Amino acid sequence: MNKTININLAGIIFHLDEGAYESFRDYLNQVKNALESQEGGAEIIADIEARIAELFSMRMQEFKREAVTIEDVNFIQATLGAPQDFEDDSDEAPHTSAGIPAGKKRLFRNTDESIIGGVASGIAAYFGTDVVWIRIIFLVLLFFTGIGFITYLILWMAIPEAKTTAQKLQMRGEPVNLSNIERSVKEELDGVKERFGRFREENQGTGQSLRKTINRGLNIIINILEWLFRLVFKFFGLLFILVCLVIGFTLFVALFGVIASTWNFGGIDFISIDGNILGLNAAEAILGSGIELTLMRIGTLLTLLFPILGLTTLLAKAFKRPLANGRLVNIVGGTSFFIGLALLLYAGGNVLSSFKVSTTEMRTVELQGNTFDMRAELLEESDGFLFEIDDDNLRIENVKLDIKKSFDPSASLAMKHRARGSSNSDARKRAMQFDYPFEQVGPVMSLSEYFTVPEEALYRGQELQVTLYLPIGSEVYLDPSVENLLYGIENAHNMWDGEMIGHTWKMERRGLVCMDCEEIDYFESEAVEAQIEALELEIKKLKEN
Amino acid sequence: MKIDNTKAQMRKGILEYCILGILDSSDAYASDIIDQLKEAKLIVVEGTLYPLLTRLKNAGLLEYRWEESSSGPPRKYYSLSDSGRAFQKELKMTWEELQSAVTILTTRPNQS
């Protein structure tokens, strides 16, 4: 059974077998291409069509057939000759090529060799370069500016697809003449023929019509699946480029913040403003410059190697330049991934174990006078990050200031050093290494916002709790500079730390009372409660004495 | 230089003269002319002829009329116009001159 297609030649209808039709159409198109540019071309074409109609009719009568077959088309070709025979080169000014002259290139999308829309290969054809370079340019633009993506989309929409053979030739800048078209078409046809032949071979010998039907059905399904896969592949191609963009950026960041980003203790800030990139300070403060740091660095790099290699392989595939050995990449990448992970876990475990024990160390200094002006301007201002490495010292900005009632007649400043370590003695040694300078000049108490420890002590949860003990009746002014230090100071008005600065406070029995606040959120019951509590404490103390 | 190319050039040069010669004896439609030319082995494929006929017609050397056909579309019957006849006579003279010239030139080496 053959499908037929009806055509009208010089006013006569012919039924052509599907295969015959395709062959005939290609032939006639080539002939038309050869003749169109000649003087009186349309008339010649009409004459030729009439002649073909005559020959077809003769053969139909002769062989008593209704449909034109491929043999008839072949006969026509043999009788009329190859398309180039139609060129009338006895003309005074002979044509070297029909149609568009050589060298006039036009930009088309080359969908025959496309990954997404054939934009890159079209451009490559236009400039006569290898498509890989265009793709690399697009990817570079994509990674570093994102412009590549938008440019691609615009070009995709703007550039027409090279559909016809003539357009494909123009895309490469080859002259659109008969022999080139023929060559190009022939190449295309050969591909079709080959596929068709294979299909027929596969279907030969099955014999039974049922199996043939099944085969045909399967073939249709396979065709549909193939088409779907192509669609999905293109979609993923686009998605892949987007993912590359994200992964590329992440890797870029990760490589710089490699170590610190894997160890985020208690909300450490990783991005420093003044040149210290992404928490390298934190890494040094926690890991020191010893074996752990090295292990961690190697570990992170080894762990990252796998995704980087994988990405490279995928990119290579995208460019249709597969790397030599995909399995080797997998083995090397996978092994390095696990070694890296093991190193990270080992070093991480070591570091964690040195945080095991916590101890505190107290230091108390008696202060003169009973009026104080608390400031935090003794040392240069810190930048608000937890760690800073300064010469051979590690600055730790973890100071808390509290104000409490003193039961002694004089005021005092108590400093509680807290530190962690792998053992009790390790932690104690660390707790004794705090260096926290302060100064009293008249009523002015100058504190600083951070303390320092020797660099080799490393960060092991060090924390400084400073408490100002005030006897009843003494006064304290809280300068705005201490704002960062205040931490949950109890007062008679239940005011927040931030609200307390800039005011003078008097220590009374019921706690700290604001001397110059304009509007005080005064809660009677709480104030009374505080008073009772204070009285009880006093009684207790009297009893002990 | 390819021999085929030279042969084709020689054939093409005298093709116009031959077509005019055929039509000088009687009117004919394209297939008739083709058949005669094929028989004489002057052309191999028909494609060559159609552009040539159209060109001669456009040059005013040929005329044609439509005639019904039993086996296909109407056919073009070609005949020589007056100027075609004059053209053919001139070509005939030239051809005879050429023929004798060629004969003299190509046979002389045998004599010497």
Side-chain angles (χ1 to χ4, degrees):
Chain A
M1 193 189 82
N2 274 326
K3 205 169 145 192
T4 62
I5 288 156
N6 292 339
I7 60 162
N8 172 355
L9 267 183
I12 298 175
I13 305 285
F14 292 98
H15 311 291
L16 269 71
D17 279 354
E18 211 170 6
Y21 168 74
E22 278 175 14
S23 175
F24 180 64
R25 183 195 57 195
D26 289 337
Y27 175 70
L28 203 59
N29 281 340
Q30 289 180 58
V31 171
K32 280 180 180 174
N33 267 319
L35 292 172
E36 245 162 15
S37 60
Q38 287 188 24
E39 210 190 317
E43 194 181 351
I44 303 171
I45 291 165
D47 286 350
I48 287 166
E49 285 193 352
R51 175 63 177 159
I52 293 171
E54 197 175 60
L55 288 171
F56 275 162
S57 302
M58 272 164 57
R59 280 181 73 88
M60 292 304 103
Q61 279 169 15
E62 191 183 334
F63 299 108
K64 310 225 165 357
R65 276 195 274 117
E66 288 280 312
V68 176
T69 63
I70 189 83
E71 283 82 25
D72 298 322
V73 175
N74 289 341
F75 170 78
I76 293 290
Q77 291 197 31
T79 311
L80 290 175
Q84 60 263 34
D85 290 329
F86 290 82
E87 274 177 297
D88 183 13
D89 53 9
S90 58
D91 231 337
E92 280 85 359
H95 302 261
T96 48
S97 65
I100 294 101
K104 197 193 168 190
K105 273 188 184 182
R106 285 189 58 197
L107 189 55
F108 284 105
R109 281 189 290 117
N110 182 4
T111 44
D112 291 345
E113 293 159 32
S114 70
I115 285 182
I116 303 169
V119 172
S121 40
I123 292 172
Y126 188 78
F127 291 111
T129 54
D130 195 321
V131 63
V132 169
W133 300 114
I134 309 293
R135 291 202 175 120
I136 286 173
I137 290 171
F138 266 115
L139 274 184
V140 167
L141 282 175
L142 189 67
F143 275 118
F144 290 101
T145 62
I147 283 173
F149 180 64
I150 295 159
T151 317
Y152 192 94
L153 280 185
I154 291 171
L155 289 175
W156 195 356
M157 285 185 273
I159 303 174
E161 182 186 340
K163 279 184 188 147
T164 67
T165 307
Q167 285 171 337
K168 280 172 191 168
L169 287 170
Q170 267 178 282
M171 181 176 75
R172 296 193 182 84
E174 288 175 43
V176 185
N177 59 23
L178 207 62
S179 55
N180 272 337
I181 288 181
E182 202 192 332
R183 180 172 53 77
S184 186
V185 166
K186 225 177 221 167
E187 280 168 11
E188 229 166 283
L189 275 178
D190 283 348
V192 172
K193 262 184 210 158
E194 202 181 304
R195 260 178 282 149
F196 191 72
R198 237 185 292 141
F199 173 67
R200 214 189 296 181
E201 242 167 66
E202 280 164 15
N203 284 283
Q204 256 169 9
T206 50
Q208 290 159 8
S209 61
L210 180 68
R211 280 176 72 181
K212 263 189 183 168
T213 318
I214 291 171
N215 264 348
R216 192 168 294 172
L218 275 177
N219 224 56
I220 290 168
I221 291 169
I222 288 168
N223 278 344
I224 290 172
L225 281 180
E226 204 180 301
W227 181 79
L228 273 177
F229 274 128
R230 264 166 186 273
L231 201 75
V232 168
F233 182 76
K234 294 225 163 150
F235 175 73
F236 276 108
L238 196 65
L239 205 68
F240 175 69
I241 287 179
L242 281 174
V243 169
C244 278
L245 178 71
V246 174
I247 291 177
F249 182 72
T250 316
L251 278 184
F252 189 73
V253 171
L255 277 174
F256 280 92
V258 164
I259 298 133
S261 54
T262 45
W263 297 102
N264 186 344
F265 288 112
I268 301 159
D269 291 304
F270 287 111
I271 300 162
S272 176
I273 302 155
D274 43 20
N276 296 318
I277 308 156
L278 292 161
L280 287 177
N281 265 341
E284 243 178 288
I286 294 166
L287 302 167
S289 48
I291 185 92
E292 268 88 9
L293 184 71
T294 318
L295 284 181
M296 208 75 103
R297 281 190 171 146
I298 295 170
T300 318
L301 285 175
L302 284 179
T303 316
L304 279 174
L305 191 65
F306 192 37
I308 291 172
L309 278 179
L311 202 70
T312 319
T313 319
L314 276 175
L315 275 176
K317 259 186 198 158
F319 287 131
K320 298 188 177 152
R321 299 272 191 283
L323 291 181
N325 200 334
R327 258 190 72 193
L328 190 72
V329 168
N330 280 345
I331 290 168
V332 171
T335 314
S336 84
F337 180 77
F338 283 111
I339 292 174
L341 207 63
L343 286 178
L344 283 179
L345 284 177
Y346 173 74
N350 267 2
V351 171
L352 272 186
S353 74
S354 64
F355 275 80
K356 214 160 55 188
V357 187
S358 168
T359 54
T360 52
E361 194 71 24
M362 287 291 289
R363 187 158 76 104
T364 310
V365 182
E366 220 159 277
L367 301 174
Q368 314 288 312
N370 56 6
T371 312
F372 301 98
D373 182 350
M374 302 297 285
R375 295 177 184 214
E377 294 166 331
L378 187 62
L379 298 177
E380 59 182 282
E381 215 174 313
S382 178
D383 57 10
F385 294 103
L386 186 54
F387 306 116
E388 193 91 0
I389 289 168
D390 186 15
D391 297 330
D392 291 335
N393 291 320
L394 173 63
R395 282 193 206 170
I396 301 175
E397 199 177 319
N398 198 2
V399 182
K400 290 166 181 170
L401 176 65
D402 198 2
I403 299 171
K404 282 183 172 162
K405 198 186 294 170
S406 166
F407 296 106
D408 292 325
S410 64
S412 63
L413 199 65
M415 278 155 287
K416 195 200 240 174
H417 303 181
R418 183 187 293 278
R420 291 176 168 272
S422 56
S423 66
N424 217 349
S425 58
D426 183 39
R428 188 161 302 277
K429 193 178 138 207
R430 213 167 258 125
M432 288 165 78
Q433 284 174 322
F434 280 44
D435 181 15
Y436 185 68
F438 61 92
E439 221 175 65
Q440 189 186 11
V441 181
V444 177
M445 267 304 305
S446 292
L447 305 175
S448 61
E449 291 189 301
Y450 54 85
F451 60 93
T452 57
V453 299
E455 197 186 351
E456 61 272 13
L458 304 178
Y459 174 74
R460 290 293 177 266
Q462 286 98 327
E463 173 189 306
L464 181 64
Q465 174 79 53
V466 181
T467 313
L468 175 68
Y469 283 97
L470 289 177
I472 288 167
S474 49
E475 282 177 21
V476 63
Y477 170 74
L478 294 176
D479 187 80
S481 61
V482 297
E483 188 180 1
N484 294 331
L485 302 184
L486 300 187
Y487 190 79
I489 299 178
E490 281 181 23
N491 58 75
H493 316 303
N494 243 9
M495 280 164 73
W496 295 105
D497 295 336
E499 297 170 314
M500 289 178 75
I501 56 162
H503 295 298
T504 308
W505 297 80
K506 191 176 181 186
M507 186 55 86
E508 294 183 0
R509 274 179 207 284
R510 56 187 170 119
L512 282 172
V513 176
C514 187
M515 305 295 286
D516 53 3
C517 299
E518 280 172 15
E519 245 179 83
I520 299 166
D521 233 354
Y522 189 82
F523 296 101
E524 190 68 45
S525 61
E526 272 164 2
V528 171
E529 237 172 83
Q531 230 169 336
I532 292 164
E533 205 178 65
L535 283 170
E536 271 172 357
L537 269 171
E538 222 163 309
I539 291 161
K540 206 174 154 191
K541 214 175 179 194
L542 282 170
K543 271 185 186 165
E544 275 172 12
N545 287 348
Chain B
M1 202 160 172
K2 280 181 188 162
I3 184 79
D4 285 340
N5 203 17
T6 314
K7 277 187 196 166
Q9 291 297 324
M10 286 171 97
R11 250 190 232 117
K12 268 178 180 156
I14 55 164
L15 202 51
E16 290 176 28
Y17 171 58
C18 291
I19 291 167
L20 294 174
I22 290 167
L23 291 173
D24 189 38
S25 48
S26 70
D27 295 358
Y29 67 93
S31 315
D32 281 336
I33 304 170
I34 287 161
D35 286 344
Q36 289 189 44
L37 289 172
K38 268 188 177 171
E39 217 170 301
K41 303 235 161 94
L42 207 51
I43 62 163
V44 186
V45 290
E46 296 182 12
T48 330
L49 196 70
Y50 288 94
L52 199 55
L53 281 173
T54 307
R55 193 157 52 79
L56 292 173
K57 184 213 64 168
N58 287 343
L61 302 177
L62 299 185
E63 286 168 343
Y64 71 89
R65 65 178 188 278
W66 290 104
E67 231 162 75
E68 288 296 320
S69 156
S70 56
S71 62
R75 291 166 165 179
K76 275 179 178 172
Y77 266 79
Y78 286 99
S79 57
L80 285 183
S81 68
D82 292 341
S83 59
R85 230 169 275 283
F87 198 86
Q88 197 267 338
K89 284 206 174 77
E90 241 190 281
L91 278 184
K92 197 178 178 200
M93 278 165 64
T94 314
W95 171 250
E96 274 157 10
E97 281 168 29
L98 275 175
Q99 204 182 19
S100 62
V102 170
T103 313
I104 291 163
L105 284 171
T106 49
T107 48
R108 202 162 43 184
N110 289 349
Q111 291 167 348
S112 64

